[in-house]
C-alpha cells in the first residue's frame, strides 16, 4: 500500500499497522480505549479505531511525561499515541506499540457504559450512540458498508443504471396503505373541504403526499428508457408490526429489467445473492469469522454452500399443498388464497427445501396491482425468495405491460387510473415486457451475519414507538 493522507502526520489505521510484516518506528495511532490495565511500571491499553475487529496493544511506560494522566484516561477514552511498532511477546498478536508519547484527546468518566463484559443486544440498543465501539456492532457496520459497495459493483459491472427515485411521493406503490404522511398543514385546524375532509389541495405539494414505500414505479419508467436499472435507497413503511424483521425505515435494492420475464427475474436474484455472499466471504473474512464464532456457529459453512447452491423453485399452489400435507398445526390457517405467513415461509425454506426457495405465481388477489396476470386469470407472475431463519428476503414480479389488463387490475384494487396516468403512459408508448424485484438490505444483512433482530443491523433503527438517536 502506498502512502496515504492518513500516514502523512495524521494517523495510521490499526488495520494497516496489524498487516505490516516488519517493525516500524515512529507511527501514530488514534483510537478509543477498549481496555486498560495498569501494572507495575507499565500500562497496557487495547486501542481500537474501528478499521478492523482487532485492537492494537499499546504499551505506556512510566517514562512518559504524562504517564499518570494517560494511564488513568479510562475505558472509552480517545487517545493519540506515537511510538514504535515492535514484535509482541504476548500471545495472539504479532505487534504492539511501544509509546514514545501519548495524548489524551478525550478522557472518559468511569461510568462509561461499554465496559469489557458481554452486554445484551437489547441493552446495546439503548446505547446505540456507542454500540459501534463494541466488537459485534463494529463487525455489523463494517459488513454493511462493504456490502453496500458490493451492491453497486454488481450492478455497475453489468451495465445497470443507478437511478435515484424520489423519497417524497404521492403514490402508494404496494397499495397497502402504509405511507407515512408528509404535510405542512397545521395538525390542529387543517383546512377542510366542503365535505369536512382535510383539503390536501391546500397542502405543500397541492396533493396528499407521503414517504415512499418503494421506488419501483419510477424504476419502471427508467427501465423503459435505460433497459437495465436499479435503485438503492431508504424506504418507509408505517406498518405497525413489532417483529424482529420489520423496520419502519429500511433500505431496499430494486433492479428493473426491460425485456425480462419472471424466469429472468429469478435468475438475476439468484446471481445477485450468490455474488454478494461470495464477495463477503472474500472481503469480510475477519468479521465473518467473528460471527461464525460468536453469533451463529456454522455460518461460514452455510454461506459457502449458498455461494454454490442452485436455488429451488415452487409455485404458490404447490407450496400450499406441501403445507396442507405437512401434518403441522400452524397459527394461521393454510388455504389457497391466503397469504403465506412467516411461520409458513419458514417451514417451506427450512424444513421442506432446506435452503433458499422461490415461491412463484401467487393468487392475484393477495398481490399488488402491477404484477402481470397469468393466463389462468387468477394468479400473477410474482416471486418471493425465502431463506432459512429470515423468511422472505426478496419480493419481485414480472410487471403488467398490457394497458387494458393493468387498468382493470387498478380498478379492482381501488386505485384510480388517473392518479397514475404517468405509469399508464409507458404502456401506451413503447410498452414492453419487464420485471424486477426488491431485496431488503437489512434482511440480507441478518442472513449474512446471523444477527436475529433487524434492529441490530441498521445503525439507528426506526420501529413503532422508537425514533431515538
Ligand atoms: O415485498 P416488498 O413489499 O416488494 C416491493 O416493495 C416491491 N416494490 C419490490 C419490487 O418488485 N421492486 O418488499 C421487498 C423486500 C421484502 O422482500 C423484504 O426483504 C423487504 O423488502 N421489506 C422489509 N424489510 C424491513 N422492514 C420492512 N418493514 C420490510 N418490508 C419489506
Ligand atoms: Mg413482499
Amino acid at each position: 500500500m502506498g502512502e496515504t493522507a492518513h500516514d502523512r502526520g495524521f494517523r495510521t489505521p490499526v488495520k494497516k499497522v496489524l498487516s505490516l510484516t516488519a517493525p516500524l518506528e515512529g507511527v501514530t495511532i488514534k483510537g478509543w480505549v477498549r481496555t486498560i490495565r495498569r501494572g507495575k511500571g507499565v500500562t497496557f491499553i487495547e486501542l481500537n479505531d474501528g478499521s478492523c475487529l482487532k485492537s492494537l496493544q499499546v504499551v505506556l511506560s512510566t517514562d512518559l511525561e504524562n504517564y499518570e494522566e494517560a494511564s488513568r484516561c479510562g475505558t472509552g477514552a480517545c487517545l493519540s499515541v506515537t511510538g514504535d511498532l515492535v514484535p509482541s511477546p504476548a500471545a495472539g498478536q504479532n505487534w504492539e506499540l511501544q509509546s514514545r508519547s501519548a495524548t489524551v484527546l478525550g478522557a472518559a468518566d468511569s461510568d462509561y457504559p461499554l465496559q469489557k463484559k458481554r452486554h445484551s443486544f437489547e441493552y446495546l440498543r439503548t446505547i446505540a450512540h456507542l454500540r459501534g465501539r463494541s466488537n459485534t456492532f463494529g463487525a455489523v457496520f463494517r459488513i454493511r458498508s462493504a456490502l453496500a459497495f458490493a451492491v453497486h459493483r454488481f450492478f455497475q459491472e453489468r451495465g445497470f443504471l443507478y437511478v435515484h427515485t424520489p423519497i417524497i411521493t404521492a403514490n402508494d406503490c404496494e397499495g397497502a396503505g402504509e405511507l407515512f404522511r408528509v404535510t405542512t398543514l397545521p395538525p390542529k385546524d387543517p383546512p377542510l373541504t366542503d365535505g369536512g375532509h382535510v383539503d390536501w389541495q391546500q397542502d405543500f405539494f397541492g396533493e396528499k403526499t407521503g414517504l415512499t414505500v418503494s421506488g419501483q414505479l419510477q424504476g419502471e419508467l427508467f427501465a423503459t428508457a435505460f433497459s437495465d436499472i436499479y435503485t438503492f435507497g431508504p424506504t418507509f413503511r408505517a406498518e405497525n408490526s413489532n417483529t424482529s424483521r420489520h423496520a419502519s425505515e429500511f433500505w431496499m435494492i430494486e433492479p428493473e429489467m426491460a425485456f425480462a420475464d419472471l424466469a429472468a427475474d429469478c435468475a438475476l436474484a439468484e446471481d445477485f445473492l450468490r455474488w454478494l455472499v461470495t464477495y463477503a466471504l472474500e472481503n469480510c473474512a475477519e468479521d465473518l469469522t467473528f460471527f461464525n464464532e460468536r453469533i451463529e456457529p456454522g455460518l461460514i459453512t452455510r454461506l459457502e454452500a449458498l455461494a454454490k447452491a442452485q436455488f429451488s423453485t415452487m409455485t404458490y399452489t404447490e407450496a400450499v399443498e406441501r403445507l396442507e400435507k405437512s401434518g403441522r398445526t400452524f397459527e394461521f390457517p393454510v388455504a389457497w388464497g391466503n397469504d403465506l405467513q412467516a411461520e409458513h415461509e419458514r417451514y417451506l425454506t427450512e424444513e421442506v427445501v432446506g435452503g433458499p426457495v422461490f415461491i412463484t405465481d401467487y393468487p392475484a388477489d393477495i398481490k399488488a396491482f402491477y404484477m402481470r396476470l397469468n393466463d389462468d386469470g387468477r394468479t400473477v407472475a410474482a416471486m418471493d425468495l425465502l431463506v432459512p431463519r429470515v423468511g422472505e428476503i426478496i419480493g419481485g414480479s414480472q410487471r403488467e405491460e398490457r394497458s387494458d389488463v393493468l387498468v382493470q387490475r387498478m380498478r379492482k384494487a381501488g386505485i384510480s387510473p388517473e392518479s397514475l396516468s404517468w405509469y399508464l403512459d409507458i404502456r401506451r408508448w413503447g410498452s414492453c415486457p419487464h420485471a424486477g424485484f426488491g431485496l431488503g438490505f437489512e434482511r440480507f444483512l441478518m442472513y449474512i451475519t446471523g444477527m436475529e433482530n433487524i434492529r441490530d443491523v441498521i445503525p439507528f433503527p426506526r420501529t413503532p414507538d422508537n425514533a431515538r438517536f
Side-chain angles (χ1 to χ4, degrees):
M1 223 194 287
E3 200 189 34
T4 69
H6 278 157
D7 303 331
R8 273 176 244 123
F10 188 7
R11 70 177 183 102
T12 304
V14 168
K15 181 180 181 172
K16 187 170 170 189
V17 167
L18 288 177
S19 70
L20 291 177
T21 50
L24 185 65
E25 291 190 355
V27 50
T28 297
I29 307 293
K30 299 181 186 183
W32 293 267
V33 174
R34 283 288 173 89
T35 62
I36 182 161
R37 254 182 317 124
R38 246 171 86 103
K40 264 207 196 107
V42 70
T43 290
F44 295 104
I45 290 176
E46 293 287 331
L47 205 62
N48 189 288
D49 67 359
S51 59
C52 61
L53 187 70
K54 286 205 179 75
S55 302
L56 180 67
Q57 172 155 290
V58 171
V59 186
L60 302 180
S61 91
T62 47
D63 299 344
L64 289 180
E65 213 180 293
N66 59 343
Y67 179 76
E68 270 310 302
E69 180 208 12
S71 64
R72 292 186 189 281
C73 63
T75 307
C78 185
L79 288 189
S80 170
V81 185
T82 301
D84 304 320
L85 194 72
V86 299
S88 174
Q93 58 193 25
N94 293 335
W95 303 110
E96 62 184 31
L97 190 71
Q98 291 284 350
S99 60
R100 283 196 242 153
S101 69
T103 310
V104 181
L105 298 175
D109 300 342
S110 60
D111 57 358
Y112 180 64
L114 264 181
Q115 297 296 338
K116 179 104 189 162
K117 64 166 194 163
R118 282 260 195 146
H119 298 283
S120 72
F121 293 148
E122 287 78 7
Y123 171 68
L124 289 170
R125 271 173 231 145
T126 69
I127 52 164
H129 49 321
L130 296 167
R131 68 178 178 168
R133 294 193 206 170
S134 67
N135 282 339
T136 303
F137 289 94
V140 165
F141 296 124
R142 270 188 302 275
I143 287 212
R144 188 177 168 114
S145 166
L147 288 174
F149 171 73
V151 164
H152 287 292
R153 222 183 107 183
F154 176 86
F155 287 113
Q156 295 285 335
E157 282 178 359
R158 284 157 187 76
F160 282 63
L161 178 121
Y162 178 35
V163 49
H164 295 117
T165 51
I167 303 287
I168 299 176
T169 175
N171 75 267
D172 175 1
C173 170
E174 296 306 304
E178 291 164 349
L179 245 68
F180 282 102
R181 189 70 38 227
V182 171
T183 177
T184 53
L185 292 180
K188 215 167 154 215
D189 284 309
L192 300 179
T193 60
D194 293 343
H197 298 292
V198 175
D199 186 2
W200 298 108
Q201 282 183 8
Q202 293 191 48
D203 202 352
F204 191 91
F205 295 103
E207 61 182 318
K208 207 170 168 183
T209 52
L211 298 178
T212 187
V213 298
S214 159
Q216 180 196 318
L217 301 188
Q218 294 90 351
E220 284 185 56
L221 307 182
F222 262 53
T224 57
F226 299 93
S227 304
D228 290 336
I229 66 96
Y230 70 106
T231 71
F232 183 8
T235 43
F236 308 87
R237 296 199 184 176
E239 57 191 324
N240 204 352
S241 33
N242 238 316
T243 78
S244 59
R245 44 179 225 146
H246 286 91
S248 315
E249 177 177 309
F250 62 97
W251 285 62
M252 193 162 29
I253 298 130
E254 294 183 276
E256 191 72 32
M257 295 178 289
F259 321 114
D261 61 7
L262 189 66
D265 202 30
C266 291
L268 179 73
E270 187 171 337
D271 280 355
F272 181 41
L273 273 198
R274 273 207 301 257
W275 193 90
L276 285 180
V277 168
T278 307
Y279 183 92
L281 287 166
E282 286 171 1
N283 294 279
C284 309
E286 186 190 38
D287 291 324
L288 281 182
T289 302
F290 171 82
F291 291 117
N292 192 59
E293 284 167 7
R294 297 296 187 86
I295 305 293
E296 185 192 332
L299 174 79
I300 290 184
T301 311
R302 173 166 73 71
L303 294 177
E304 282 168 349
L306 182 96
K308 292 192 214 100
Q310 282 279 106
F311 296 6
S312 305
T313 300
M314 190 188 293
T315 63
Y316 166 88
T317 302
E318 196 183 331
V320 168
E321 279 165 18
R322 294 286 193 117
L323 290 166
E324 280 171 345
K325 275 195 242 144
S326 69
R328 288 271 180 113
T329 15
F330 294 104
E331 194 189 330
F332 292 89
V334 177
W336 201 98
N338 291 357
D339 206 358
L340 299 180
Q341 302 295 326
E343 53 172 348
H344 308 137
E345 293 178 345
R346 291 193 56 172
Y347 176 80
L348 292 166
T349 172
E350 288 169 12
E351 320 238 347
V352 177
V353 175
V357 57
F358 287 108
I359 309 290
T360 64
D361 304 291
Y362 285 75
D365 290 346
I366 57 170
K367 287 291 188 187
F369 72 94
Y370 52 70
M371 298 188 180
R372 191 178 197 279
L373 194 65
N374 287 329
D375 292 343
D376 63 13
R378 58 181 208 145
T379 60
V380 285
M383 61 92 155
D384 274 4
L385 180 66
L386 313 181
V387 296
R389 283 193 333 101
V390 179
E392 179 193 338
I393 196 168
I394 283 180
S397 62
Q398 185 173 338
R399 320 305 188 187
E400 185 54 77
E401 84 283 13
R402 297 161 298 186
S403 189
D404 51 336
V405 184
L406 183 58
V407 169
Q408 270 175 29
R409 290 265 291 148
M410 288 170 85
R411 291 229 161 87
K412 219 176 154 193
I415 299 164
S416 92
E418 296 71 44
S419 70
L420 285 178
S421 58
W422 45 270
Y423 185 69
L424 286 164
D425 275 352
I426 57 169
R427 273 73 181 172
R428 294 169 60 204
W429 298 316
S431 191
C432 66
H434 59 289
F437 63 80
L439 169 70
F441 192 44
E442 286 75 19
R443 299 250 178 112
F444 174 67
L445 290 171
M446 289 168 73
Y447 185 67
I448 214 159
T449 59
M451 297 297 285
E452 290 185 346
N453 197 308
I454 197 163
R455 292 164 182 78
D456 297 331
V457 294
I458 188 163
F460 303 102
R462 268 77 181 106
T463 49
D465 288 324
N466 177 38
R468 198 169 168 235
F469 305 106

